[in-house]
Amino acid sequence: MTGDGVIAAYSGTFDPMTYGHTDIIHRAAAMFPKLIVAVGENLPKGPVFSLDERVALARQALQDLPNVDVVPFTGLVVDFASEHGVTVLVRGVRSVSDFDYEKQMAVMNRYLSASVDTVMLAPSKEYAHLSSSLVRELARLGGNVEGVVPEPIAQALHDHYGTS
């Protein structure tokens, strides 16, 4: 475990939260005494679920992790980090293109706030193919999402798209 008092944050839109996300969250929660899952508004992405819905779904999916809080946020993640005492940002990287993007973001975040470092985690191999956009498309077309998202999120996707 990392030093006492370290607060980490894993931010994203989580529209929807996938097992790839929960894999990263469970592993980060084992590394840090406190992990905040920061659910971003990100309206330009045109999320399927509202910010409040995504926060509620994430809380349901992560209720087994006592050291994890789910908090909504808007704006810059470094501002969120400063407001919540976060010194480590956790990012998931599935591919080389993810790594290139996340490296740029890590450098920019460090430029904006020298007190914030970024830790990148690769997903477990069984989740390396998952993305929220792929899951949304699968759900929209009536595909089975039970194996790629936690149960409450699968139900919410079925309800949203009118599938079963």
Side-chain angles (χ1 to χ4, degrees):
M1 177 162 316
T2 305
D4 290 337
V6 172
I7 301 172
Y10 180 41
S11 64
T13 306
F14 304 113
D15 186 49
M17 181 172 281
T18 70
Y19 280 136
H21 295 126
T22 61
D23 173 57
I24 297 293
I25 292 164
H26 277 83
R27 291 169 43 221
M31 293 179 198
F32 300 101
K34 181 174 181 181
L35 176 68
I36 301 172
V37 174
V39 181
E41 187 172 36
N42 207 348
L43 293 177
K45 277 190 172 182
V48 169
F49 297 112
S50 72
L51 181 58
D52 289 342
E53 288 170 321
R54 288 180 280 129
V55 167
L57 289 168
R59 286 179 178 154
Q60 288 176 23
L62 303 170
Q63 62 187 343
D64 63 321
L65 297 170
N67 65 325
V68 173
D69 292 330
V70 179
V71 178
F73 88 99
T74 59
L76 295 174
V77 72
V78 292
D79 292 340
F80 176 89
S82 176
E83 292 166 15
H84 294 273
V86 170
T87 56
V88 177
L89 298 175
V90 174
R91 303 301 301 154
V93 291
R94 296 170 299 204
S95 65
V96 172
S97 61
D98 280 357
F99 178 79
D100 285 343
Y101 174 77
E102 294 297 344
K103 183 180 131 195
Q104 289 176 332
M105 293 302 296
V107 170
M108 180 57 74
N109 287 335
R110 184 82 175 155
Y111 169 77
L112 294 171
S113 177
S115 64
V116 175
D117 279 309
T118 300
V119 173
M120 295 184 205
L121 298 175
S124 298
K125 65 182 178 181
E126 60 268 30
Y127 307 120
H129 66 288
L130 291 179
S131 70
S132 292
S133 57
L134 181 64
V135 170
R136 283 192 308 273
E137 185 69 2
L138 181 63
R140 186 183 70 78
L141 295 172
N144 182 0
V145 296
E146 276 80 17
V148 295
V149 297
E151 190 283 323
I153 296 167
Q155 186 59 55
L157 285 166
H158 290 311
D159 293 348
H160 179 81
Y161 288 110
T163 59
S164 54

